[in-house]
C-alpha cells in the first residue's frame, strides 16, 4: 500500500484536496483547488504520532506538509475546507496490518518539536505552578513579547489585541476598536475627574481612549514589558502623561484603592478558572462603593468545562496555561464575591470579524512579518487567527462583556433605570 492509498482509505478518495506524498503516490480529488503534499518521512511521523490538528500543524510549521492554492498568511479557506469536507474513517481490524506496514514502525517515533511549541504542562512546572506570578509572567512573555513591530503590522494603528465592536458591517477595524473602547467607557459611566484602573492593559489603548475622550485619570498594568514600554512612549507622545500611566507589573501588586471604575479587557483568559474568586475579590477591594467593573473576555458557549488547559494547538503554541469557561461561571463568581451583575452581552460575531481583519493585515504584510519573526511564528499566528475566526463563527467560543457594580451598603447601585449605552 502507498501513502496516497492510505490517505484515501482514511479520508476517502473524494476528500476535497489533491494529496501527494514523497513516495510518489497521490490521493484525494485530483481536480481540487487546494493541494497538500507530504514532503518527507518526518512529516509522516508528525501525523502518525499526533493524529489530528496538532500533528498537521507541526508538519506544516516545519515545512514537511506543504500547501498550494491558499496564502500562508490566510489559511481560513483551508481550515474551513478540512472541517467541512474531511470525514475520517477509522480503519477496520483487517486493514490495520497493511496500514501499519505502509507507515512503518519508524513512523511511531516522535520527531523533534517545532521551536515555536512550548514545553508540556509537566515541564512548565519547573517555571512555577500554573498561574503563579512567575509562570503567568512567562506565559505572557511567550505570547505578547513577539515584538511590537510585528504587532503593529498585525493589529494596525489601534494596537489593540482584543475583540472590537463593529457599529456597522462595513466599519473598519480602527472604527470598531474605537467603538469597543467607547462602549466600555459608557458602560462604566466614565466622567471627568474619575479614576480608572485597567488591568491587563496591553499597549494602553483603553487608558488613552478614556483619558482623551472622557477626562479621567487612568492607570494600566501589564505583564509584558514590551507593551508597557510602547504604551509609555505613546502616552508621552500624545501629551497624556499627567493623567495616564502604564506600569509593567502584575495586577495583584496594585496597591491603590478607591478607583471609580475598573476595566478588565482580555485578562480573565489568563488567570485560571480556579482563581476567579480571588481575582474578583481583589478587583472589588480596589473599587469604591458605587463603582463599576467591566469584564470582557473569551468564553465557552456552556458552563460544563472546568477550564483546564488542553494539550492542543492553542495551548502549545499560542496561550500557554490559557483557560476559558462559560459566562454563567463568570457571573456566578462575580455575584458570589460581592458584585451585583447589571448587564451582560455576547459579542461573538464581532470577534469573528476582528480575527478576519487581523488575518487580512497579516496577509497584506506577510513578507515583512516573516522577516520580523520568522516563517514558523508567522504561520502560527495565521493558523491561530484563522482558526479562531472559524470557531467564533460556529459558536465554539464566544466573547462576553459583564458589567458589575460594587453596591453601597444601603443597596444604592448608582445605576440608571435603563441602560444609557447603545448595545
Amino acid at each position: 500500500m502507498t501513502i496516497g492509498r492510505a490517505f484515501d482509505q482514511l479520508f476517502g478518495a473524494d476528500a476535497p484536496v489533491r494529496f501527494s506524498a514523497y513516495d510518489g503516490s497521490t490521493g484525494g480529488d485530483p481536480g481540487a483547488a487546494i493541494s497538500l503534499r507530504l514532503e518527507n518521512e518526518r512529516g509522516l511521523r508528525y501525523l502518525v504520532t499526533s493524529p489530528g490538528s496538532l500533528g498537521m500543524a507541526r508538519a506544516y510549521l516545519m515545512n514537511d506538509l506543504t500547501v498550494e492554492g491558499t496564502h500562508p498568511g490566510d489559511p481560513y479557506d483551508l481550515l474551513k475546507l478540512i472541517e467541512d469536507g474531511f470525514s475520517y474513517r477509522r480503519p477496520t481490524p483487517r486493514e490495520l496490518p497493511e496500514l501499519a506496514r505502509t507507515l512503518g514502525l519508524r513512523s511511531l517515533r516522535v520527531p523533534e518539536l517545532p521551536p515555536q511549541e512550548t514545553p508540556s504542562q509537566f515541564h512548565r512546572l519547573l517555571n512555577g505552578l500554573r498561574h503563579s506570578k512567575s509562570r503567568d509572567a512567562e506565559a505572557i512573555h511567550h505570547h505578547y513579547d513577539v515584538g511590537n513591530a510585528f504587532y503593529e503590522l498585525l493589529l494596525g494603528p489601534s494596537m489593540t489585541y482584543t475583540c472590537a465592536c463593529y457599529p456597522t458591517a462595513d466599519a473598519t477595524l480602527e472604527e470598531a476598536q474605537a467603538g469597543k473602547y467607547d462602549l466600555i467607557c459608557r458602560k462604566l459611566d466614565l466622567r471627568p475627574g474619575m479614576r480608572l484602573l485597567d488591568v491587563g492593559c496591553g499597549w494602553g489603548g483603553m487608558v488613552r481612549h478614556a483619558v482623551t475622550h472622557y477626562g479621567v485619570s487612568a492607570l494600566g498594568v501589564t505583564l509584558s514589558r514590551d507593551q508597557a514600554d510602547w504604551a509609555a512612549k505613546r502616552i508621552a507622545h500624545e501629551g497624556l502623561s499627567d493623567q495616564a500611566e502604564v506600569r509593567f507589573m502584575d495586577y495583584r501588586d496594585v496597591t491603590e484603592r478607591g478607583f471609580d471604575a475598573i476595566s478588565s479587557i482580555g485578562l480573565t483568559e489568563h488567570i485560571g478558572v480556579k482563581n476567579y474568586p480571588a481575582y474578583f475579590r481583589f478587583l472589588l477591594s480596589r473599587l469604591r462603593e458605587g463603582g463599576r467593573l467591566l469584564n470582557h473576555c473569551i468564553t465557552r458557549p456552556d458552563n460544563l468545562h472546568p477550564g483546564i488547559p488542553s494539550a492542543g494547538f492553542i495551548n502549545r503554541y499560542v496561550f500557554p496555561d490559557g483557560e476559558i469557561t462559560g459566562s454563567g461561571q463568570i457571573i456566578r463568581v462575580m455575584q458570589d464575591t460581592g458584585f451585583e451583575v447589571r448587564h451582560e452581552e455576547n459579542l461573538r460575531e464581532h470577534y469573528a470579524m476582528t480575527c478576519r481583519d487581523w488575518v487580512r493585515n497579516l496577509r497584506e504584510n506577510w513578507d515583512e512579518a516573516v522577516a520580523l519573526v520568522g516563517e514558523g511564528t508567522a504561520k502560527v499566528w495565521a493558523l491561530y487567527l484563522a482558526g479562531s475566526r472559524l470557531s467564533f463563527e460556529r459558536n465554539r467560543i464566544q466573547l462576553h462583556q459583564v458589567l458589575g457594580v460594587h453596591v453601597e451598603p444601603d443597596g444604592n447601585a448608582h445605576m440608571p433605570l435603563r441602560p444609557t449605552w447603545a448595545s
Side-chain angles (χ1 to χ4, degrees), residues 19 22 36-67 78 110-117 313 317 375-376 379-380 383:
F19 176 81
Y22 59 92
L36 302 179
R37 176 169 175 77
L38 189 61
E39 299 287 352
N40 50 46
E41 185 259 351
R42 185 178 66 177
L44 179 64
R45 287 162 54 201
Y46 282 125
L47 300 180
V48 172
T49 56
S50 186
S53 61
L54 183 58
M56 290 185 69
R58 286 169 172 168
Y60 176 66
L61 294 176
M62 297 295 281
N63 289 318
D64 297 336
L65 181 67
T66 56
V67 181
L78 173 64
V110 181
E112 67 275 20
L113 299 180
Q116 295 80 19
E117 184 165 328
F313 175 79
Y317 285 91
E375 183 183 33
K379 282 182 173 180
V380 166
L383 286 172

Side-chain angles (χ1 to χ4, degrees), residues 79-100:
L79 298 180
K80 190 174 181 181
L81 182 70
I82 291 174
E83 183 169 312
D84 292 341
F86 274 64
S87 55
Y88 173 73
R89 184 180 70 81
R90 186 182 297 275
T92 66
R94 178 175 295 182
E95 293 169 331
L96 281 174
E98 185 180 8
L99 187 62

Side-chain angles (χ1 to χ4, degrees), residues 158-215:
S158 73
M159 283 296 279
T160 298
Y161 181 44
T162 46
C163 174
C165 185
Y166 290 74
T168 61
D170 59 353
T172 67
L173 176 63
E174 295 307 306
E175 291 169 340
Q177 291 293 11
K180 180 265 302 294
Y181 286 135
D182 213 63
L183 175 63
I184 293 173
C185 288
R186 295 197 305 274
K187 286 183 175 180
L188 291 173
D189 193 28
L190 296 184
R191 297 186 300 275
M194 283 185 167
R195 296 169 60 229
L196 168 71
L197 171 64
D198 185 35
V199 292
C201 68
W203 291 270
M206 176 65 185
V207 167
R208 290 182 287 108
H209 187 95
V211 169
T212 300
H213 298 282
Y214 288 84

Side-chain angles (χ1 to χ4, degrees), residues 37 77 79 86 100 109 111 138 190 214 236 249 253 382 400 403 416:
R37 176 169 175 77
D77 290 338
L79 298 180
F86 274 64
R109 185 161 54 90
E138 178 58 31
L190 296 184
Y214 288 84
M249 67 185 299
D253 294 328
H400 275 84
L403 179 66

Side-chain angles (χ1 to χ4, degrees), residues 293-328:
L293 163 70
L294 192 287
N295 195 78
H296 166 122
C297 72
I298 299 170
T299 57
R300 295 186 184 274
D302 58 58
N303 298 282
L304 303 176
H305 297 79
I308 298 173
S310 71
F313 175 79
I314 294 293
N315 185 259
R316 293 291 188 96
Y317 285 91
V318 185
F319 285 117
D321 297 338
E323 300 179 27
I324 59 175
T325 188
S327 59

Side-chain angles (χ1 to χ4, degrees), residues 200-279:
C201 68
W203 291 270
M206 176 65 185
V207 167
R208 290 182 287 108
H209 187 95
V211 169
T212 300
H213 298 282
Y214 288 84
V216 304
S217 296
L219 168 64
V221 295
T222 173
L223 277 176
S224 167
R225 185 178 294 279
D226 283 359
Q227 290 180 337
D229 290 345
W230 191 98
K233 292 176 182 177
R234 177 57 67 91
I235 286 169
H237 175 74
E238 296 181 6
L240 304 176
S241 298
D242 290 344
Q243 292 175 263
E245 179 186 3
V246 168
R247 298 176 189 166
F248 170 55
M249 67 185 299
D250 193 295
Y251 77 90
R252 289 165 284 195
D253 294 328
V254 173
T255 58
E256 293 92 333
R257 295 174 180 266
F259 288 96
D260 299 288
I262 298 176
S263 50
S264 173
I265 309 172
L267 175 61
T268 318
E269 300 91 330
H270 297 287
I271 65 171
V273 175
K274 71 176 183 180
N275 296 320
Y276 282 6
Y279 168 69

